[in-house]
Amino acid sequence: MREWLLLAVILIPFAVAVLIPLLPFRSRNGMLLFMEAGVLLNSILVFVLLSLHPEQALTVFRFTGNLSITLKADGVGSLYAALVAALWPFAMLYSFEYMKHEHNEKSFFLFYVVTYGVTLGVAFSENILTMYFFFEMLSLITLPLVMHTRTREAILASRTYLYYMLGGAAFAFIGVIFILTYGSTSSFVAGGVLDPAGLGGRMELTEIVFVLCFLGVAVKTAVWPFSSWLPKAGVAPTPVTALLHAVAVVNTGAFAAMRVTYFSFGTKLLRSTAAQRLLMGLVLFTIVYGCSRALKETHIKRRLAWSTVSNLSYILFGIVMMTPAGLAAGLAHMLFHSVMKICSFFCAGAVMHQSGKSYIHELDGFGRKMPKVFCSFTISSFALMGVPGLCGFVSKWNLAKAALQTQDAMAVAGIAALMISALLTAIYMLTIVVRAFFPGREFEYGKLGDLKDPGWMMLLPLFVFVIAMFVFGLHSGPVIRMLEQITAGIQ
């Protein structure tokens, strides 16, 4: 019976979402309470499910042979599900105040809640076909969120988003068919499902297909040259951009890249090949490229978006090392970056919500008027830079250590990319902090009017994430050991 919880936690958000436009709520607060209760209940059920450690898979629908929609909670999938379940209730709470004066609120929350269920579907996928099904459903479900404001800019951004997602789906589908054809099973198996003897003389073809499949799923992580969609998607409301950049879409791309690399194609087959070299080169270039573009950007959300482009390739860097230590370090950065970046995006959203300002040169003196928001933003900035004592340092340290352990010249050279990125991150993040707190002696604070921090529904998530950054930074040992246990033996 425990296995049925796998399906329940995916369907409950769908049920909550469908009821949003159907139930006759007497007030907006009643609707908000219903949604938060539904999401919170689902998150509790996810953690109950994970505590029960269900070992059996649940086949929801079988097409034929080994083609089925099947769910299972393994180590990597459980970790991703726990991350999503921990962050989503806070994202919902934040969105309540942010969306208070927005139009089409019910349709927004409908798709916002459904996305929760679809993301859990990706996390609990037992085989590559199931993951592909939920992976592409996520692209379609989040499309209305990107175009929510219905402005010309939002419609153009949603078109770009759709084109990139469909293109990525086509590339990824090639890998799915290859695995279904030549793999011993469609299920995710630690070490991969491809037998070199069964491939015959198709090793070069295998490398080409792997690169196409990896890049197809990595479109969601905005790896170069597929980066431009992510900053453009920033036209969506901040709860959506935080969802895209820190919780669901981009992390789903990184998670899928882990699956196809370690659980489908297998690293023993790919290590030291031209395919690995090519992907590592693209990932390291994206790390520096994303930071460079962030440095030039003057819009606060687009600057954070380019920062996300860079940081997602930190995760991919850990993946393409193709070692257990690299995978553990990539998972660590996926966890910690989610907390750091959702905090910084929520801070930016709070500023835009309270002031209507969105460009960095307009934020002079805001630190005194909005001290709680900008103190939170400062701490998230230090964490993204990799300052010791905060979680960003831990994941970057582990990435560098894993790179050294590979004894691979290209991976070791990647440490230089991490250092350059840390320097550029310090420049583009602290620029905002300095302008907010130190606008100059002659600055007239009176012209900021009655600007102030937002209400508790926006501030509570910020405080929780700040505490998490310190806890993970100062007491990361249990988390890192857990990740090492999950990745032990995955070659």
Side-chain angles (χ1 to χ4, degrees):
M1 291 297 293
R2 291 180 296 180
E3 288 73 29
W4 285 98
L5 277 176
L6 290 165
L7 182 60
V9 296
I10 295 171
L11 294 182
I12 287 174
F14 280 83
V16 172
V18 169
L19 290 174
I20 291 172
L22 297 180
L23 291 179
F25 297 106
R26 293 184 178 181
S27 65
R28 181 177 185 269
N29 286 339
M31 182 181 72
L32 302 186
L33 182 61
F34 169 75
M35 290 188 295
E36 185 66 23
V39 169
L40 189 58
L41 172 63
N42 203 59
S43 291
I44 293 171
L45 285 177
V46 170
F47 286 107
V48 169
L49 167 66
L50 298 181
S51 69
L52 295 175
H53 303 290
E55 297 180 359
Q56 299 298 317
L58 175 67
T59 299
V60 179
F61 183 82
R62 184 173 297 279
F63 298 99
T64 180
N66 66 344
L67 302 180
S68 65
I69 303 298
T70 304
L71 306 173
K72 188 177 181 180
D74 65 358
V76 176
S78 296
L79 180 72
Y80 184 37
L83 172 66
V84 173
L87 294 181
W88 217 283
F90 294 105
M92 282 296 299
L93 185 64
Y94 178 94
S95 68
F96 293 159
E97 185 169 347
Y98 189 94
M99 297 299 296
K100 190 173 183 179
H101 302 294
E102 295 285 335
H103 300 293
N104 305 312
E105 193 178 34
K106 285 190 175 181
S107 66
F108 170 87
F109 284 122
L110 187 153
F111 289 106
Y112 202 74
V113 175
V114 166
T115 304
Y116 184 16
V118 176
T119 307
L120 290 176
V122 175
F124 289 134
S125 295
E126 188 269 347
N127 58 57
I128 195 167
L129 183 65
T130 305
M131 186 185 73
Y132 185 80
F133 172 75
F134 283 109
F135 189 83
E136 298 312 323
M137 185 187 294
L138 183 66
S139 300
L140 299 177
I141 290 296
T142 52
L143 180 65
L145 293 173
V146 175
M147 63 185 297
H148 173 76
T149 58
R150 310 292 199 274
T151 62
R152 183 175 182 275
E153 188 180 9
I155 292 172
L156 292 176
S158 64
R159 287 180 184 175
T160 301
Y161 178 72
L162 183 62
Y163 296 155
Y164 274 83
M165 295 304 112
L166 291 178
F171 284 138
F173 190 66
I174 296 172
V176 173
I177 297 300
F178 189 86
I179 292 298
L180 294 177
T181 303
Y182 295 104
S184 58
T185 176
S186 63
S187 299
F188 292 125
V189 178
V193 298
L194 294 177
D195 182 3
L199 291 172
R202 302 183 182 88
M203 191 56 210
E204 290 186 0
L205 176 63
T206 302
E207 291 183 41
I208 293 171
V209 171
F210 170 69
V211 169
L212 292 176
C213 185
F214 187 97
L215 292 177
V217 297
V219 165
K220 277 187 168 64
T221 67
V223 67
W224 188 88
F226 311 112
S227 307
S228 62
W229 73 266
L230 194 57
K232 290 181 180 179
V235 300
T238 298
V240 177
T241 51
L243 181 84
L244 294 175
H245 295 243
V247 186
V249 174
V250 294
N251 277 345
T252 299
F255 178 77
M258 294 177 191
R259 284 299 201 191
V260 299
T261 303
Y262 290 85
F263 296 85
S264 290
F265 284 86
T267 57
K268 288 184 179 179
L269 205 64
L270 299 167
R271 197 177 294 120
S272 301
T273 62
Q276 184 191 22
R277 301 288 181 190
L278 173 62
L279 292 176
M280 188 171 289
L282 289 176
V283 165
L284 294 179
F285 176 79
T286 306
I287 289 174
V288 178
Y289 174 73
C291 284
S292 302
R293 290 296 302 266
L295 195 63
K296 296 172 59 179
E297 187 55 65
T298 58
H299 189 284
I300 186 169
K301 282 175 66 175
R302 286 200 291 267
R303 176 170 289 193
L304 293 175
W306 283 112
S307 170
T308 301
V309 169
S310 177
N311 275 272
L312 291 171
S313 281
Y314 281 54
I315 305 171
L316 297 182
F317 179 43
I319 295 171
V320 297
M321 288 184 205
M322 299 189 181
T323 64
L327 178 58
L331 284 169
H333 198 69
M334 185 175 76
L335 289 175
F336 299 157
H337 174 255
S338 296
V339 176
M340 296 184 290
K341 191 52 63 70
I342 197 171
C343 181
S344 58
F345 263 107
F346 279 179
C347 289
V351 170
M352 295 171 65
H353 179 268
Q354 294 297 102
S355 68
K357 308 295 185 183
S358 55
Y359 286 89
I360 294 165
H361 68 269
E362 299 175 317
L363 305 183
D364 289 355
F366 275 43
R368 179 180 293 186
K369 292 287 189 174
M370 302 179 67
K372 296 173 184 175
V373 167
F374 274 94
C375 283
S376 301
F377 184 84
T378 302
I379 294 169
S380 68
S381 299
F382 286 146
L384 285 166
M385 290 159 48
V387 172
L390 295 166
C391 58
F393 171 79
V394 177
S395 54
K396 292 183 180 183
W397 175 266
N398 280 276
L399 282 168
K401 187 168 67 171
L404 286 172
Q405 290 174 356
T406 63
Q407 297 182 345
D408 179 270
M410 196 169 187
V412 173
I415 299 174
L418 298 182
M419 296 176 67
I420 294 170
S421 173
L423 174 62
L424 296 179
T425 302
I427 296 172
Y428 69 69
M429 293 300 288
L430 291 185
T431 299
I432 303 172
V433 174
V434 171
R435 296 197 72 134
F437 284 107
F438 307 103
R441 293 181 178 179
E442 298 180 359
F443 182 78
E444 299 179 7
Y445 285 96
K447 66 182 181 181
L448 297 180
D450 59 352
L451 180 67
K452 61 181 180 180
D453 282 313
W456 71 271
M457 285 190 287
M458 279 188 169
L459 291 177
L460 179 61
L462 298 184
F463 296 157
V464 171
F465 298 144
V466 166
I467 292 170
M469 282 184 265
F470 278 108
V471 170
F472 288 138
L474 297 173
H475 194 56
S476 61
V479 176
I480 299 302
R481 285 192 294 272
M482 178 189 67
L483 296 178
E484 290 173 347
Q485 289 175 0
I486 290 174
T487 59
I490 300 178
Q491 295 290 342

